[in-house]
């Protein structure tokens, strides 16, 4: 482990696919959130934010002391810059903390319309060396997201040779393409990943066909599960955080603007606890962190390219997620007290678990389930609004999960 090169505790940067996920990220420990508008980001099918939503998001984050970064990292075409300038003019009064960009033309436009705004360089820029960082710094950027293909040694060298803030992904989905710049989706069904409309063909099951026998597909591998050429594992660097802190990374970013509330809450609470504890003691790695991250829906975890190993990053078994737990309810509060918004079915007598910020969690039994009007229920179901017995410390924004029965 090298000597720590930056003196500030690294930032926890969480995804916010919509306003409720933003509130969850803030409550569960994010230092900053990143989100997109309905244009010029790379998640066309995330909830995304209208201008009105952005105003609300700005108020929430300002009150909580949390930074807000807006993604403008799509690759633009010539006819789109007028609309970009119009959007930037509307955004100026919100005083967002930074814009995330990849296109030099977008950066130049921001410098013209809103010259005081901080600019962060997206992973889409494929920044693999300190020389690239210097190019972006001279162009006016403040921070750079490191290419996911870099090793720990590469990151150490980066930090020693650049004056820019460095950000890296530590958790979430990975892409088969170099830093996410993929053409497969556009080639197969005319949906461009580089313009926010990826159809994720890397997750599909592929077969081989011979031209004169198109109705007789063959598996390329002799495996009953199918053939998944491009299906990347998910990234999880929770155990490598001490090395990344020591290397000089300023911000740890979690992927997942299209992921669930449960994912956002779980990832935020774990990485918040890990950053805080490891900052004080780099040896204080808690096995509970990895155990908890295994309880969110994910593909098999991997350390990506960080350790410089030659292990396959593709998961050939199938494209399905590992799911050991279901998110079954979201705790709300009104003038009459706490109630639960149902998200998945659970039954009277089921063993459930409540989770909250600061690593709070407690198992309890589903009991006294009632409608808001007081009618007894035998189960909670999606979209049900109900009251039930909860642990004493339960509060607005806590989540309820249930372990899935083991398959026989």
């Amino acid at each position: 482990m090298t000597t720590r090169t930056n003196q500030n505790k690294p930032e926890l940067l969480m995804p916010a696919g919509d306003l409720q996920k933003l509130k969850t990220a803030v409550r569960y420990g994010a230092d900053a959130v990143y989100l997109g508008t309905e244009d010029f980001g790379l998640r066309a099918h995330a909830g995304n934010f209208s201008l009105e939503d952005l105003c609300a998001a700005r108020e929430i984050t300002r009150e909580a002391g949390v930074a807000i970064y807006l993604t403008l990292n799509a690759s633009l075409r010539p006819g789109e810059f007028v609309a970009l300038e119009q959007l930037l003019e509307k955004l100026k009064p919100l005083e967002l903390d930074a814009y995330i960009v990849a296109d030099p033309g977008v950066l130049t436009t921001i410098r013209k319309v809103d010259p005081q705004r901080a600019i962060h360089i997206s992973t889409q820029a494929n920044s693999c060396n300190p020389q690239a960082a210097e190019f972006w710094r001279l162009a006016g950027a403040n921070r750079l997201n490191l290419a996911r293909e870099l090793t720990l040694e590469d990151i150490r060298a980066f930090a020693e040779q650049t004056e820019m803030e460095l950000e890296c992904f530590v958790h979430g989905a990975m892409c088969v393409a170099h830093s996410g710049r993929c053409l497969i989706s556009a080639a197969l069904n005319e949906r461009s990943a580089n313009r926010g409309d990826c159809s994720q063909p890397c997750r599909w099951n592929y077969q081989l066909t011979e031209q004169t026998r198109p109705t007789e597909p063959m598996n390329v591998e002799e495996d009953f599960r199918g053939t998944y050429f491009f299906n990347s594992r998910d990234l999880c660097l929770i155990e490598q955080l001490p090395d990344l802190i020591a290397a000089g990374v300023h911000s740890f970013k979690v992927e997942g603007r299209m992921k669930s509330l449960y994912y956002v809450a779980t990832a935020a609470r774990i990485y918040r606890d890990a950053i805080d504890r490891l900052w004080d003691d780099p040896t204080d790695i808690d096995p509970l962190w990895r155990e908890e991250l295994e309880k969110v829906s994910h593909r098999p975890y991997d350390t990506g390219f960080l350790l410089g190993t030659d292990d396959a990053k593709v998961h050939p078994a199938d494209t399905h997620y590992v799911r050991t737990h279901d998110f079954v309810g979201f705790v709300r509060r009104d003038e009459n007290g706490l109630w639960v918004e149902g998200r998945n079915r659970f039954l009277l007598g089921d063993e459930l678990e409540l989770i909250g910020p600061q690593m709070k969690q407690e198992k309890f039994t589903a009991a006294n389930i009632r409608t808001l009007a007081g009618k007894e229920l035998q189960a909670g179901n999606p979209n049900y609004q109900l009251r039930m017995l909860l642990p004493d410390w339960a509060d607005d924004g806590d989540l309820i999960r249930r372990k899935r029965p083991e398959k026989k």
Side-chain angles (χ1 to χ4, degrees):
M1 188 179 297
T2 60
T3 303
R4 182 181 292 164
T5 57
N6 63 306
Q7 298 303 310
N8 296 319
K9 185 187 298 185
E11 169 189 86
L12 174 58
L13 176 54
M14 292 297 302
D18 58 34
L19 201 55
Q20 191 171 37
K21 292 174 187 176
L22 179 141
K23 293 176 182 177
T24 299
V26 169
R27 183 169 187 269
Y28 281 79
D31 296 307
V33 295
Y34 64 101
L35 50 84
T37 65
E38 295 161 349
D39 300 297
F40 309 125
L42 284 182
R43 288 293 182 270
H45 302 289
N48 291 321
F49 286 69
S50 65
L51 192 60
E52 182 180 354
D53 290 336
L54 273 176
C55 291
R58 176 71 285 186
E59 289 303 313
I60 292 167
T61 54
R62 183 178 286 120
E63 183 177 343
V66 170
I68 184 169
Y69 308 145
L70 181 70
T71 59
L72 297 171
N73 55 342
S75 300
L76 269 62
R77 293 170 182 160
E80 296 178 307
F81 280 87
V82 172
L84 175 62
E85 290 191 20
Q86 292 172 345
L87 175 62
L88 291 172
E89 289 288 357
K90 294 176 182 176
L91 293 172
K92 282 170 67 175
L94 296 181
E95 298 182 345
L96 303 179
D97 294 283
Y99 295 140
I100 302 172
V101 310
D103 187 326
V106 173
L107 186 152
T108 302
T109 304
I110 294 170
R111 280 280 159 261
K112 180 177 71 172
V113 177
D114 194 3
Q116 302 306 313
R117 196 68 51 223
I119 293 178
H120 296 176
I121 302 302
S122 168
T123 187
Q124 293 292 114
N126 310 134
S127 300
C128 297
N129 54 74
Q131 288 80 1
E134 181 65 5
F135 168 83
W136 289 114
R137 187 185 71 82
L138 292 174
N142 308 85
R143 177 188 290 186
L144 181 140
N145 184 286
L146 295 162
R148 303 187 205 198
E149 293 75 25
L150 298 180
T151 66
L152 183 59
E153 289 302 318
D154 293 331
I155 294 172
R156 286 173 179 150
F158 230 117
E160 291 170 358
Q161 298 175 43
T162 183
E163 299 175 22
M164 292 186 72
E165 290 187 2
L166 299 180
E167 172 186 292
C168 74
F169 279 100
V170 294
H171 197 88
M174 292 192 289
C175 181
V176 70
H178 194 278
S179 291
R181 299 191 70 160
C182 182
L183 298 175
I184 302 175
S185 180
L188 292 183
N189 60 356
E190 300 181 350
R191 287 177 53 179
S192 173
N194 300 308
R195 294 177 61 80
D197 199 22
C198 183
S199 58
Q200 293 200 320
C202 55
R203 312 300 183 191
W204 299 351
N205 180 13
Y206 288 86
Q207 294 178 312
L208 177 69
T209 59
E210 194 275 323
Q211 187 174 7
T212 63
R213 287 173 283 188
T215 61
E216 300 177 22
M218 298 168 283
N219 282 343
V220 180
E221 295 180 348
E222 293 181 357
D223 192 320
F224 70 94
R225 294 170 297 192
T227 304
Y228 297 86
F229 289 120
F230 313 115
N231 184 34
S232 299
R233 294 172 180 266
D234 279 2
L235 184 67
C236 180
L237 299 182
I238 191 71
E239 292 159 345
Q240 285 70 44
L241 289 190
D243 290 318
L244 290 169
I245 292 172
V249 176
H250 298 81
S251 178
F252 294 145
K253 187 171 187 177
V254 174
E255 182 276 339
R257 278 194 285 150
M258 296 177 67
K259 300 289 181 68
S260 69
L261 272 175
Y262 175 48
Y263 171 94
V264 172
T266 301
R269 68 196 287 265
I270 298 305
Y271 280 92
R272 172 77 280 145
D273 190 57
I275 292 170
D276 291 345
R277 288 168 58 178
L278 293 171
W279 181 252
D280 294 330
D281 180 0
T283 67
D284 188 20
I285 295 177
D286 191 338
L288 179 63
W289 298 335
R290 180 61 180 254
E291 180 183 322
E292 284 296 298
L293 291 171
E294 293 285 351
K295 294 178 183 179
V296 296
S297 180
H298 66 281
R299 297 180 182 89
Y301 286 133
D302 195 278
T303 55
F305 298 90
L306 187 76
L307 303 182
T309 60
D310 294 325
D311 296 340
K313 306 306 173 192
V314 172
H315 177 50
D318 56 52
T319 190
H320 296 98
Y321 285 91
V322 178
R323 288 185 174 93
T324 62
H325 289 68
D326 288 323
F327 168 35
V328 299
F330 189 71
V331 180
R332 306 278 203 155
R333 182 185 294 277
D334 60 22
E335 63 276 8
N336 297 313
L338 297 176
W339 57 279
V340 174
E341 178 184 310
R343 291 302 180 94
N344 277 291
R345 183 173 173 81
F346 63 92
L347 303 176
L348 190 69
D350 278 354
E351 183 181 83
L352 305 177
E353 188 171 18
L354 184 72
I355 65 171
Q358 291 85 47
M359 298 301 292
K360 293 179 181 178
Q361 55 193 79
E362 182 179 339
K363 293 180 180 179
F364 68 101
T365 300
N368 196 25
I369 306 174
R370 300 173 181 271
T371 66
L372 299 188
K375 180 181 177 181
E376 292 186 4
L377 296 172
Q378 297 300 307
N381 284 297
N383 301 317
Y384 271 33
Q385 296 182 355
L386 53 89
R387 299 193 195 277
M388 59 188 296
L389 291 179
L390 295 169
D392 292 341
W393 55 267
D395 201 356
D396 186 29
D398 291 343
L399 277 66
I400 303 169
R401 67 186 176 196
R402 180 194 58 197
K403 185 177 181 180
R404 284 188 164 194
E406 295 183 6
K407 293 183 178 180
K408 297 181 179 180

